[in-house]
Amino acid sequence: TLDGPGCALDDCEVRHGIEVGHRGAACLRGCEVHGKAIGIAVHGGVAIEDCEVDGCAIAVSLYGNAAASLRGNVFRRCRAAAVVLHCQMEAEEGAVLQLAPMIDESNGIEECARTYEV
């Protein structure tokens, strides 16, 4: 688990998934993630850039409306969805939910069952 603003992973290969804790992390850059139920689980802010996630059920799962940014990644052969966002909205009339994650157009999604799920 990466859990702190000074934590980072660069140019790595992972076969058991990556988790970013509630305190977030600086970045995940140039990593390859293969064949896990959830490739990257995000609970806090992090920049995920130029990573490849292949053969996972879900490439990136964002929990609690974390301020994560996704740029230049490739999500391939995801059995459920490329990106899943889990967040809560207040049960009040007129409540508004402003999504914190930034998902850039530069991400490539190939052969995934769904692109995004909220």
Side-chain angles (χ1 to χ4, degrees):
T1 299
L2 301 173
D3 199 16
C7 296
L9 280 178
D10 285 306
D11 299 317
C12 63
E13 185 173 340
V14 178
R15 297 206 179 272
H16 298 292
I18 299 170
E19 182 172 11
V20 175
H22 294 282
R23 296 185 331 147
C27 69
L28 301 174
R29 187 175 301 119
C31 295
E32 294 181 25
V33 181
H34 303 280
K36 177 73 175 159
I38 297 174
I40 304 171
V42 177
H43 299 274
V46 64
I48 301 172
E49 301 172 347
D50 304 319
C51 293
E52 292 185 23
V53 183
D54 189 3
C56 299
I58 299 168
V60 179
S61 190
L62 302 164
Y63 297 92
N65 205 18
S69 66
L70 283 66
R71 286 188 210 104
N73 303 291
V74 176
F75 307 128
R76 187 177 296 117
R77 292 189 295 263
C78 303
R79 296 180 304 279
V83 178
V84 174
L85 175 60
H86 305 271
C87 55
Q88 289 183 293
M89 189 163 98
E90 296 297 323
E92 298 176 9
E93 185 175 324
V96 176
L97 175 65
Q98 184 168 339
L99 298 177
M102 300 289 291
I103 303 172
D104 194 77
E105 295 177 357
S106 63
N107 295 295
I109 299 173
E110 304 170 2
E111 301 176 45
C112 292
R114 281 183 293 237
T115 308
Y116 304 104
E117 183 178 309
V118 178

